[in-house]
Amino acid sequence: MANPRPSSHRLLRSRLLHPPSISCYVLVLLAFSAFIFLYSQRQITVVDRNPSDESFEDLKEQLWGSASGYGYRPCVKRTQKYAATQKWNRYLTVRSNGGLNQMRTGICDMVAVARLMNATLVIPQLDKRSFWQDTSTFSDIFDESHFIKSLEGDVHIVHELPKELESAPRARKHFSSWSGASYYEEMSQLWKDYQVIHVPKSDSRLANNDLPIDIQRLRCRAMYHALRFSNPIERLGKGLSLHDADTTEASGAAQVTWPIYCSSSAF
Ligand SMILES: *[C@@H]1O[C@H](CO)[C@@H](O)[C@H](O)[C@H]1NC(C)=O
């Protein structure tokens, strides 16, 4: 019969013989805690640093400089395979819906849809009823000529429907939200019967549906390059910026213009 004693003795002895393994463990723990402590102290000093430590110019630069991109890069360039558009003799008319931000996204999606469906896009109408009771048109808010010009190679865009098509029968189509490219290719069947498709809502949420890379990039080009605010709004924005506010002329202009845009353009 085996006697368990010697083996438990051996275990105890071996533990006592190797105390450094425990102290090592404790040491590592202590070092880790010390590291965490020092690190958090450093964070606190960064937050608590008195702003007067830095010159006003540095702060201004931080405030108006480009925000960190967190490693993301602009993604707007056409790939080699991307072909320039043609002037299609069929038209997509769009009524945007929602607030300004939603309309911006919707308009960019409609640029992509026009491209997918080989259509000429008519400058979208803005929502004048649902949220803001706002009578602004596309060109009141956005720089219309810049929009048309900067998407020249992507989608043919016109100010309005050609006169001869104003009374032509139109297909009215609520596109299903979150559809992919193949859905819009299927929708192109409508061109067999109609020369104009009217889209009464622009929030079709095209995003992240395995769209071809060139269509994604087109959406980005539309959003970040083509949709620029109209000149009066750009001027107002510049006037309101803090770095211009110290000139009496700019702040005066801002005071005069701001209430007008507040009430008429849903800002
Ligand atoms: C759009 O036009 C291109 C080039 O002519 C063609 O390859 C493509 O199949 C067309 N797409 C649709 C949906 O009609």
Side-chain angles (χ1 to χ4, degrees):
M1 207 168 132
N3 182 359
R5 275 229 178 122
S7 77
S8 68
H9 270 301
R10 235 181 285 136
L11 205 71
L12 194 64
R13 267 226 319 273
S14 78
R15 274 198 192 151
L16 287 173
L17 276 176
H18 300 288
S21 63
I22 296 172
S23 47
C24 267
Y25 184 65
V26 171
L27 260 177
V28 167
L29 250 177
L30 268 178
F32 184 66
S33 319
F35 171 75
I36 295 285
F37 177 74
L38 285 175
Y39 184 73
S40 58
Q41 284 298 94
R42 222 184 111 222
Q43 294 298 318
I44 290 167
T45 46
V46 168
V47 172
D48 281 355
R49 195 157 47 188
N50 187 341
S52 63
D53 290 353
E54 285 175 73
S55 74
F56 181 63
E57 284 308 309
D58 283 351
L59 279 176
K60 231 165 103 173
E61 202 166 294
Q62 272 176 27
L63 184 60
W64 297 109
S66 306
S68 159
Y70 298 104
Y72 289 101
R73 286 186 305 273
C75 187
V76 292
K77 288 209 175 88
R78 300 165 175 90
T79 68
Q80 305 258 309
K81 283 187 292 179
Y82 189 78
T85 186
Q86 306 169 26
K87 282 194 178 173
W88 299 99
N89 194 19
R90 47 209 202 184
Y91 295 82
L92 202 63
T93 60
V94 176
R95 181 190 292 270
S96 301
N97 66 302
L100 186 60
N101 245 349
Q102 195 177 339
M103 288 199 281
R104 280 180 75 210
T105 320
I107 290 165
C108 297
D109 283 355
M110 287 302 139
V111 167
V113 168
R115 170 81 197 192
L116 286 169
M117 293 183 70
N118 289 341
T120 291
L121 179 69
V122 179
I123 286 288
Q125 289 172 280
L126 297 192
D127 190 335
K128 298 196 171 112
R129 285 175 305 185
S130 68
F131 274 96
W132 305 101
Q133 305 293 321
D134 185 320
T135 57
S136 307
T137 61
F138 188 97
S139 63
D140 290 330
I141 307 282
F142 302 112
D143 184 338
E144 193 169 308
S145 322
H146 174 77
F147 181 68
I148 293 175
K149 180 127 191 41
S150 74
L151 293 170
E152 227 166 33
D154 301 296
V155 172
H156 186 217
I157 304 174
V158 292
H159 292 283
E160 49 195 18
L161 206 59
K163 283 272 171 291
E164 69 272 18
L165 284 177
E166 272 173 6
S167 52
R170 303 179 188 189
R172 216 179 120 83
K173 190 69 206 165
H174 276 261
F175 291 130
S176 297
S177 294
W178 290 288
S179 301
S182 57
Y183 169 84
Y184 291 100
E185 275 150 25
E186 252 172 58
M187 285 296 125
S188 299
Q189 298 296 319
L190 286 168
W191 296 129
K192 285 185 184 153
D193 299 316
Y194 298 94
Q195 210 176 341
V196 182
I197 298 178
H198 178 66
V199 188
K201 276 175 99 217
S202 60
D203 65 339
S204 58
R205 300 169 203 265
L206 207 53
N208 307 326
N209 274 325
D210 286 332
L211 295 175
I213 183 75
D214 267 317
I215 296 295
Q216 288 289 21
R217 292 185 178 189
L218 172 57
R219 291 173 66 234
C220 292
R221 275 202 297 288
M223 176 66 92
Y224 298 110
H225 290 189
L227 268 188
R228 216 156 64 181
F229 283 122
S230 62
N231 281 333
I233 295 179
E234 287 275 327
R235 269 203 304 278
L236 171 68
K238 289 200 175 102
L240 283 174
S241 309
L242 283 180
H243 59 296
D244 282 345
D246 48 4
T247 68
T248 38
E249 195 189 342
S251 51
Q255 273 164 21
V256 174
T257 337
W258 178 249
I260 298 171
Y261 279 94
C262 267
S263 56
S264 79
S265 301
F267 277 85

